[in-house]
């Protein structure tokens, strides 16, 4: 290939490498651009399922197999965290919503909260945890085990708590989730087998940049109606935003409290993982056929997720600095 063409071909790779190097700044900027570019969000909205699928492929492709094997040899904490995030969180959320009458008074918001509760943690959770200076290995293995159970647990809780509120049948939801996860795992495995794990690690920067671009497709698509809703009813938007932050920090705090005996650093890491629910997977599984309030709550829930690395990193740094380092359990990260 001529040198001129090589230079031209290298430009996109360099741009992706630069974007991937921006870290938490780029992640926080996604929310801003998603809000100020609503026409782009409407244009990208039909591609939410495809964007989530690509994000899953990237996450599975980068899994550290050695780290997974290491934690599987000591599965106690992993099993407890998996049970909590896949069974405990949906049960408590469903019971609380029914006890407060939310299912009768605001069916669309109830649907949003239940889909959030039954979702697995975000595939980006290990990376976000690592950015904050916490060990992502435990998060990674718990993420894999809980995600593997979602095609079974999500339909169960959908049947118990949602019933006719979900247009997709519980069985259809389970099959859709399984097809998305299995398909992403198959594609990711094919990429790893073709290019090799070492090549994937060498190109971390450009892959991070590409991951951010695809993440923008998802964020822009669900944030497209935020500005219009804010202008139409600012008090309602303020209330939903406050609820999104309250749910995020409640999940984080309760999880960290439950697992405090395993060490503050690991408890905080698990808390961050549980609070970052993969609502994109639920959107993909339902083909985005959800009420307006459900979409809006999902959009506002991105604020605490993508702003948390910037908001909490100094606090996490001070808390972990006061504690003795826990016993090593592995060093791999997604």
């Amino acid at each position: 290939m001529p040198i001129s063409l090589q230079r031209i071909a290298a430009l996109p790779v360099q741009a992706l490498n630069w974007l991937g190097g921006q870290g938490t700044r780029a992640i926080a900027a996604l929310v801003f651009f998603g809000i100020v570019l609503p026409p782009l969000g409407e244009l990208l909205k039909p591609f939410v399922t495809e964007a989530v699928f690509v994000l899953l492929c990237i996450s599975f492709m980068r899994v550290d197999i050695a780290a997974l094997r290491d934690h599987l040899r000591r599965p106690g904490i992993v099993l407890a965290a998996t049970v909590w995030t896949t069974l405990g969180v949906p049960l408590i959320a469903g019971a609380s919503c029914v006890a407060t009458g939310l299912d009768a008074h605001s069916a669309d918001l109830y649907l949003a909260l239940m889909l959030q509760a039954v979702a697995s943690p975000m595939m980006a959770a290990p990376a976000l945890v690592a950015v904050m200076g916490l060990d992502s290995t435990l998060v990674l293995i718990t993420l894999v085990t809980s995600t593997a159970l979602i095609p079974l647990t999500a339909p169960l809780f959908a049947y118990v708590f949602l019933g006719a509120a979900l247009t997709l049948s519980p069985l259809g939801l389970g099959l859709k989730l399984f097809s998305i996860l299995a398909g992403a795992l198959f594609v990711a495995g094919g990429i790893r087998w073709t290019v090799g794990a070492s090549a994937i690690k060498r190109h971390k920067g450009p892959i991070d940049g590409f991951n951010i671009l695809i993440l923008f497709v998802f964020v822009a698509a669900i944030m497209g109606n935020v500005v219009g809703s804010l202008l139409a009813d600012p008090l309602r938007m303020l209330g939903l935003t406050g609820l999104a932050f309250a749910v995020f920090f409640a999940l984080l705090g309760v999880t960290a409290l439950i697992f405090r005996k395993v060490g503050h650093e690991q408890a905080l890491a698990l808390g961050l993982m549980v609070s970052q629910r993969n609502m994109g997977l639920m959107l993909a599984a339902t083909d985005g056929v959800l009420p307006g309030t459900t979409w809006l709550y999902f959009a506002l829930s991105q604020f605490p997720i993508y702003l948390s690395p910037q908001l909490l990193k100094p606090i996490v740094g001070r808390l972990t600095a006061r504690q003795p380092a826990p016993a090593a359990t592995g060093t791999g990260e997604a």
Side-chain angles (χ1 to χ4, degrees), residues 67-259:
L68 295 182
R69 290 173 178 168
D70 184 60
H71 267 290
L72 285 174
R73 297 189 187 101
R74 295 181 294 274
I77 298 175
V78 172
L79 290 175
T82 301
V83 169
W84 166 242
T85 190
T86 57
L87 300 178
V89 170
L91 276 173
I92 293 174
S96 300
C97 288
V98 172
T100 56
L102 184 66
D103 56 329
H105 298 303
S106 183
D108 292 354
L109 182 57
Y110 172 62
L111 175 62
L113 290 171
M114 285 310 304
L115 288 178
Q116 179 184 26
V118 303
S120 60
M122 285 178 57
M123 297 302 293
L128 293 176
V129 166
V131 163
M132 298 178 68
L134 298 169
D135 185 3
S136 64
T137 308
L138 178 59
V139 170
L140 177 61
I141 180 62
T142 307
L143 172 67
V144 172
T145 54
S146 58
T147 300
L149 292 176
I150 286 301
L152 299 176
T153 59
L156 173 63
F157 287 114
Y159 175 78
V160 172
F161 289 109
L162 294 176
L166 188 65
T167 56
L168 188 65
S169 70
L171 178 60
L173 176 64
L175 292 175
K176 191 68 180 289
L177 285 169
F178 177 79
S179 64
I180 292 172
L181 293 170
L185 184 60
F186 178 78
V187 172
I191 294 174
R192 284 178 67 98
W193 182 79
T194 303
V195 304
S198 59
I200 293 172
K201 290 182 180 178
R202 285 199 310 271
H203 294 87
K204 178 183 182 300
I207 294 174
D208 285 342
F210 182 70
N211 194 61
I212 290 172
L213 285 180
I214 301 301
L215 195 59
F216 175 72
V217 175
F218 168 71
V219 173
I222 67 170
M223 300 289 280
N225 63 342
V226 167
V227 173
S229 299
L230 176 62
L231 296 175
D233 194 343
L235 290 179
R236 176 170 175 263
M237 287 289 290
L238 183 62
L240 287 175
T241 303
L243 177 62
F245 274 90
V247 171
F248 178 90
F249 284 107
L251 288 174
L252 190 157
V254 171
T255 303
L257 184 64
I258 291 174
F259 291 94

